[in-house]
Amino acid sequence: MGTARCLALGSLLALAGLLEGRLVRDGEAGFGECDKFFYAGTPPAGLEADSHVKICQRFQGAERFATLYSTRDRIPVFSALRAPRPAPGPAEQRCLVEPQVDDPHSNLEEVMNEAEVITSVNNLGSKQALNADYLDSDYQRGQLYPLPLNNDLQTPIFTLTNSVPMTQAFRERWHMNLNSLMDRALVPYCGNGEDLYIITGAVPSDHRVKDRVVVPEFVWLAACCAAPGGGWAMGFVKHPREGDIIEDVMVKDLEKLLPSNPQLFQNNCGESEQDTEKMKKILEMVNQVQDEERMVQSQENSDPLSSSRSKSSAQLPPEAPSSGFLGKLLGFIATPLIKLFQLIYFLVVAILKNTLYFLWYVTKQVIDGIESCLHRLGSATISYFMAIGEELVSVPWKVLKVLAKITRAILRILCCLLKAVCRVLSIPVRVLMDVATFPVYTMGAIPIVCKDIAMGIGGTISLLFETAFGTMGGLFQVVFSIFKRIGYKVTFENSGEL
């Protein structure tokens, strides 16, 4: 019934031409248009191999997510997507194949139903899993990322190229973990998923389903938040062993668990700018999800046992005669006592179970507290030693700087001393030069002095002559004035007449 439904739905979608899965050709860098689903547009480095093909999954003319598929193991190595927003309600599952994985020369570029292409694709199933690989086996198709994208219930996440073999219990736990983590831990702390990059993958084991499809040893998820103002990065690992809880790991530790030790995010998702406060809050929510999973597993393990005990206790008959008035009387008296004993038994079992759970919870909290303290102590110790190391490394440079300053100061002092000595020594030299040049200056000054004396004497004599002549002229002027007043006129013409 389920296979027929997948066939019908796949045929309808293939005829409608809504689903596309473009195979990235050899030599083409990255995943083509699907590079946008990787942080910084860079796919993980170190995971590609010769048996891997790149698929850019498209839907309604738009790219939805990218898949690196292993044709040797017939399971995806990883699927990468961005901004997941789980939609309420179940999504329709599809059982579709990628024709170009088996036949690279096929002109069918859309993801199609297996029954539609079985006659038109050469060697169908030689490099990828088919629906028949999961029939009559203990495994189901488990999607690496099962949640719808962008509130779109028709996104092609249920293709066989995005599926790995999982048991029903493991598939339910994995999908439950992803749903809880996305809703409560990852999307709310990354701007509702707008800047959230998700990579989910599987590590192959040695076991195969029907000697064709490899069963994963464990599945993993890596999340990178590139939100402005501080992002974060987180990894998760889930083993298929019964009772295993999803584990939270750092991305670097997750990379060490994967083959070839790849680099999932370029520059480790901006490691230097990550927001540690957000990561602490995310870890708190992850711890709640892990506690809930432990509680669910504990209830699943304890409920069948308690119910079987209740049934066996309820079926125990009283040891009394089964016939006669006396037997009925004893049965009437013994029945309340049996019911009381059953009630006491149930109460004791419930108290013991709750006590054990409480002790387990307290122990877990104490262990978590000790681990947290040890982690903080280790981090503080590492930071302390790193700071000491940085200071020790910087000591030679600082010593060189101090020595350079001291040398410079000494040189300046020496220069000042030399200048002072030169100035002190220059004083007697000048004095000696002045004394030595004094006779020369004195002998050179005698002619000048004599000249000045002669000029002074000549000037004095000239002054005396000028004074005498001036005095005499003045007297003549006075005499002439007196004679003029008296009436005598003296001229040069009659100066001979008196």
Side-chain angles (χ1 to χ4, degrees):
M1 185 68 178
T3 304
R5 183 179 182 183
C6 287
L7 294 175
L9 182 59
S11 301
L12 180 61
L13 292 172
L15 291 175
L18 295 177
L19 279 172
E20 299 179 8
R22 193 178 75 82
L23 202 68
V24 180
R25 301 298 182 183
D26 293 338
E28 186 172 348
F31 284 74
E33 299 89 345
C34 284
D35 282 345
K36 63 183 179 181
F37 298 113
F38 301 98
Y39 173 74
T42 305
L47 286 175
E48 297 184 11
D50 295 336
S51 59
H52 297 167
V53 294
K54 305 172 185 176
I55 304 174
C56 183
Q57 298 285 1
R58 297 171 58 86
F59 174 64
Q60 291 183 347
E63 298 79 16
R64 300 298 181 176
F65 65 99
T67 299
L68 182 65
Y69 190 78
S70 173
T71 58
R72 180 189 62 188
D73 301 328
R74 294 183 176 86
I75 60 172
V77 179
F78 65 78
S79 289
L81 49 119
R82 184 180 178 186
R85 295 182 180 178
E92 292 290 342
Q93 297 192 19
R94 309 185 184 114
C95 311
L96 305 175
V97 296
E98 172 56 56
Q100 292 187 353
V101 172
D102 294 318
D103 186 4
H105 301 289
S106 175
N107 57 358
L108 300 175
E109 296 185 354
E110 298 177 356
V111 180
M112 300 185 68
N113 184 269
E114 178 184 336
E116 295 289 331
V117 298
I118 192 170
T119 58
S120 58
V121 176
N122 297 326
N123 301 321
L124 183 64
S126 62
K127 296 182 179 179
Q128 66 177 311
L130 301 177
N131 294 321
D133 296 328
Y134 292 91
L135 296 178
D136 300 327
S137 68
D138 296 332
Y139 295 92
Q140 300 178 353
R141 293 177 299 272
Q143 289 72 38
L144 289 180
Y145 187 83
L147 305 178
L149 310 178
N150 301 323
N151 292 327
D152 188 355
L153 297 179
Q154 304 299 325
T155 304
I157 56 176
F158 292 100
T159 59
L160 286 168
T161 52
N162 187 43
S163 303
V164 297
M166 295 182 182
T167 61
Q168 181 179 358
F170 178 65
R171 179 173 177 269
E172 292 176 354
R173 294 200 307 271
W174 172 245
H175 293 179
M176 178 188 68
N177 291 148
L178 291 188
N179 192 23
S180 299
L181 290 174
M182 296 303 299
D183 284 344
R184 298 161 57 184
L186 304 184
V187 173
Y189 293 97
C190 191
N192 293 327
E194 292 295 336
D195 299 296
L196 183 61
Y197 297 86
I198 298 293
I199 301 178
T200 58
V203 175
S205 66
D206 297 331
H207 179 59
R208 291 177 180 265
V209 179
K210 296 184 178 181
D211 201 27
R212 280 178 50 85
V213 185
V214 172
V215 177
E217 181 179 352
F218 63 87
V219 293
W220 54 272
L221 181 144
C224 170
C225 178
W232 48 264
M234 187 71 64
F236 301 92
V237 175
K238 182 76 172 180
H239 289 84
R241 295 186 296 268
E242 184 177 357
D244 281 356
I245 306 299
I246 189 169
E247 304 174 15
D248 57 281
V249 294
M250 301 302 293
V251 174
K252 288 186 178 180
D253 297 330
L254 175 60
E255 292 173 348
K256 295 178 182 178
L257 298 175
L258 303 181
S260 305
N261 193 13
Q263 185 179 23
L264 298 177
F265 302 109
Q266 186 183 31
N267 194 24
N268 293 323
C269 189
E271 183 178 13
S272 60
E273 300 178 357
Q274 292 181 3
D275 191 340
T276 56
E277 295 298 327
K278 285 186 179 180
M279 293 182 69
K280 291 180 181 179
K281 296 179 181 179
I282 293 172
L283 288 176
E284 292 177 359
M285 302 305 299
V286 171
N287 290 333
Q288 294 182 10
V289 173
Q290 293 171 341
D291 292 339
E292 292 175 359
E293 186 178 5
R294 292 190 184 95
M295 188 180 301
V296 170
Q297 291 189 3
S298 177
Q299 291 177 356
E300 290 178 353
N301 295 332
S302 62
D303 287 345
L305 181 61
S306 60
S307 60
S308 62
R309 288 179 179 177
S310 300
K311 291 180 181 178
S312 61
S313 301
Q315 292 175 357
L316 290 176
E319 295 182 0
S322 60
S323 61
F325 176 76
L326 182 59
K328 293 181 179 179
L329 180 60
L330 292 176
F332 178 78
I333 296 173
T335 299
L337 296 177
I338 294 173
K339 296 294 184 183
L340 179 62
F341 289 144
Q342 290 179 352
L343 179 61
I344 293 173
Y345 171 77
F346 293 148
L347 290 175
V348 170
V349 171
I351 291 172
L352 289 175
K353 183 170 69 175
N354 291 327
T355 302
L356 291 175
Y357 177 75
F358 176 74
L359 292 176
W360 169 83
Y361 179 77
V362 171
T363 304
K364 178 185 177 298
Q365 294 297 325
V366 172
I367 293 174
D368 291 342
I370 294 174
E371 289 180 353
S372 178
C373 292
L374 291 176
H375 176 71
R376 293 178 181 177
L377 179 61
S379 300
T381 304
I382 293 173
S383 301
Y384 176 73
F385 282 110
M386 288 182 65
I388 292 177
E390 291 177 357
E391 291 296 329
L392 291 176
V393 170
S394 63
V395 165
W397 172 246
K398 292 181 178 178
V399 170
L400 290 176
K401 290 175 67 176
V402 171
L403 291 176
K405 291 182 178 179
I406 292 174
T407 305
R408 182 181 176 184
I410 292 173
L411 292 176
R412 293 182 66 181
I413 292 172
L414 292 176
C415 290
C416 293
L417 290 175
L418 289 175
K419 288 181 179 180
V421 170
C422 291
R423 290 179 179 179
V424 171
L425 293 177
S426 63
I427 294 174
V429 172
R430 290 179 181 177
V431 171
L432 292 175
M433 290 180 65
D434 291 340
V435 171
T437 56
F438 177 75
V440 178
Y441 290 154
T442 303
M443 295 299 295
I446 291 174
I448 297 172
V449 171
C450 292
K451 179 182 177 181
D452 292 339
I453 292 172
M455 291 179 67
I457 294 173
T460 302
I461 295 171
S462 176
L463 180 62
L464 291 175
F465 279 107
E466 289 179 358
T467 303
F469 285 111
T471 302
M472 292 179 65
L475 291 175
F476 280 116
Q477 287 287 341
V478 171
V479 172
F480 287 156
S481 298
I482 293 173
F483 284 140
K484 185 178 180 180
R485 288 182 179 273
I486 297 174
Y488 290 95
K489 184 176 181 182
V490 180
T491 61
F492 286 100
E493 292 79 7
N494 54 10
S495 57
E497 298 178 359
L498 184 60

